[in-house]
Amino acid sequence: MTHKIRYGGDYNPEQWPPEVWDEDHRLFTRAGIDTLTVGVFTWSVTQPGPGTYDFTVLDRILERAAAEGRRVCLATGTAALPPWLATRHPEVNRTDFEGRRHRYGQRHNFCPSSPAYREHATALASRLAERYADHPALLAWHINNEYGGACYCDLCAEAFRAWLRDRHDTLDALNDAWWTTFWSHRYTGWDQIEPPSALTEHWRGPDHTAFQGITLDWFRFTTDALLGCFLAEKEVIRAHDPDTPVTTNFMGLFRPLDYHRWAPHLDFASWDNYPPLDAPPTRPALAHDLMRGLKDGAPFWLMEQTPSTTACRDVNPLRRPGELRLATFQAVAHGADAALYFQMRASRGACEKYHGAVIGHAGRDDTRVFREVAELGGELEALGARTLGARTPARTALLFDWDSWWALEISDGPSRLVKYPDVVHAYYRAAREAGADVDVIPQTAGLTDYDVVLAPALHLVKGDLATRLEAVAARGGTVLATFLSGRVDEHDRAFLTDVPGPLAPLMGIRVDEWDARPPEFTQTVPELGAQARLVFEIVLPRGAEPVAGYGTDFYAGTPAVTRNRFGSGEAWYVATALDQPGVDQVVRRILTRHDLLGPYADHPAVETATRVAPDGTRLLFLLNHAPEPARLTAHATATDLLTGKRVDEGEPLVLDPLGVAILQQVRPVGGSVRQWMSRPGPSGTPDLRKK
């Protein structure tokens, strides 16, 4: 079993002659690199023609890794077609949203419904597993790469119809789900159904559809079609290798695929972290917690991050000194048991030649980037296994739902300016900056371990969720919902009841009307000293008490925020898009009720996160995202695992600009006991050992 956090990244030695490999491994040793992701785009190398396999290069790559004491995450290489396959089987090329059949080029270029693609991809994966299952360097299997995209070809149309028959069973059920009596759309044969595209139900792009139910099912189908490709490769791998863990790299808050549908089929979650350029630190933190939540809180892998800069954007800023270290420890703080880079050596040509790399084109070991990577490798070596397998003891949950994301953003009205990730992030940010650990979970997850459940913009409500949320409040917990929640069922049909639908009894309100305005318009919420934008629901209390009201227009004074007593607990409803200070106030009032404000809640630039190791050791991560020192007071006696220094309760605790501390508590003290003693969550993490 590994003795430390896995450290390394995406390595493509097939692009280089052997003498470069020698230098690479020398530099890897200097940087503390122990794990390499290999074979991600080697299909045309390992299979230069139909029925012809050449494993010479991969053999040498794995043999060299083993000789150097390094382990590999071996990719199946099926994310980019080899030219011969696209030429021999043109139907493997995708057809786009506008109905154009593409020719060979780029990557992520395969039709997921193509029998030829499935046949050749699984044959390759099977040959790889047969050859390398017992290789001493093999650590994990990496199927495909960054799954995404959609195909609208005739094969996908047929697959969509078959998927619909399985889901709806009868045409009567399908017509009811899609409400096809609207615009004379009632189907009398399965063959009449077409994928929703620019040629059928859409106009002005993928988010403008005449029938949301059709498009919602298409999004679900696309998720399942690509998942089917993953499962087909996993199945043939398991025929030769029943034990080595299998994963694929996700992309955080990635709208096209519902990762909750994929999660049961992964042995561990992994993802690639490339946050938006202007993102606050809570944005990647939200994605980390979403990835952790995919496997019921089990640690995940940070499969990719740049050591310096990206190359895919119009402008690609450089990471400043200290930012790489801070971002890496943020991932560890939120549950990462591996920290890997893209890329290990910069490509000489093509579209990623300017993408950041541990080793640049000159192959130097005296660059700032290499020094920072090497210094971080030394810190991870010294940290050892102390964080491995550690869980996050969150008592606050945030519900994240791809169906709600899709349904909200393809809806005509009330406002296309409302973006689901932005609403979710506002409430997540408020909780995290107040010092609460947060589990990001699906609608189907158990809620019994949580005191606070945040459900922002939960547009689509499924199953018995409303009843389970009521149970949270009834036993003394607090539930928060926001505007545009509880509007539609699983088929995107409006509930035939008062808004917010099945959530109305819990919230103690009724909404008959809502106002939407352009982005430059703001509405005041005087009691909070806050501004509101975009959507303004007009709330009629039905048992709930007003907390704050609107300041202008004919609905001035009507509630913008309400609180409803329910059982021993409370339900809060926020009827508009509050600015961040307004969201912060509401969330902090809720967290205060449950004694969930963190010890450094008055320092929002200092991120805190707790992990509990398998032996019960509790670790508090402190991350200073500010460019100036953070001057704190130690909330408990602890030892910093990165420096070995002890700090006593009440003593000054200074974090450098972009600084990090990992505090192992010596003893629980006073008001912080609850922070340290909250639930550790279920134990267990994938065993990344050789058989």
Side-chain angles (χ1 to χ4, degrees), residues 176-217:
D176 182 59
W178 289 357
W179 210 247
T180 57
T181 49
F182 179 79
W183 281 4
S184 188
H185 263 52
R186 186 167 184 81
Y187 294 100
T188 56
W190 295 101
D191 60 344
Q192 299 164 7
I193 299 170
E194 297 288 347
S197 71
L199 302 180
T200 58
E201 303 296 349
H202 282 256
W203 72 95
R204 289 172 54 204
D207 286 349
H208 295 75
T209 176
F211 280 81
Q212 284 78 30
I214 298 176
T215 298
L216 186 59
D217 268 350

Side-chain angles (χ1 to χ4, degrees), residues 285-324:
L286 169 59
H288 287 314
D289 285 348
L290 176 62
M291 294 298 105
R292 190 184 71 240
L294 294 178
K295 299 296 292 182
D296 193 29
F300 59 90
W301 277 25
L302 177 59
M303 187 67 80
E304 289 185 21
Q305 65 171 337
T306 178
S308 56
T309 184
T310 58
C312 58
R313 294 160 176 159
D314 291 343
V315 177
N316 298 275
L318 180 66
R319 275 184 159 165
R320 269 49 184 168
E323 289 182 351
L324 170 61

Side-chain angles (χ1 to χ4, degrees), residues 92-156:
V92 303
N93 295 310
R94 287 181 177 174
T95 296
D96 66 22
F97 180 73
E98 284 77 27
R100 299 171 298 186
R101 169 78 76 179
H102 284 211
R103 304 185 70 154
Y104 179 76
Q106 301 187 40
R107 62 171 186 167
H108 298 157
N109 49 2
F110 61 89
C111 166
S113 304
S114 164
Y117 173 77
R118 291 281 186 103
E119 176 189 351
H120 286 88
T122 54
L124 176 60
S126 178
R127 293 291 293 266
L128 290 168
E130 181 181 23
R131 189 174 190 88
Y132 299 115
D134 296 313
H135 199 286
L138 181 65
L139 177 66
W141 288 101
H142 179 315
I143 293 178
N144 206 278
N145 180 73
E146 294 184 337
Y147 278 102
C151 179
Y152 296 81
C153 72
D154 290 342
L155 290 171
C156 287

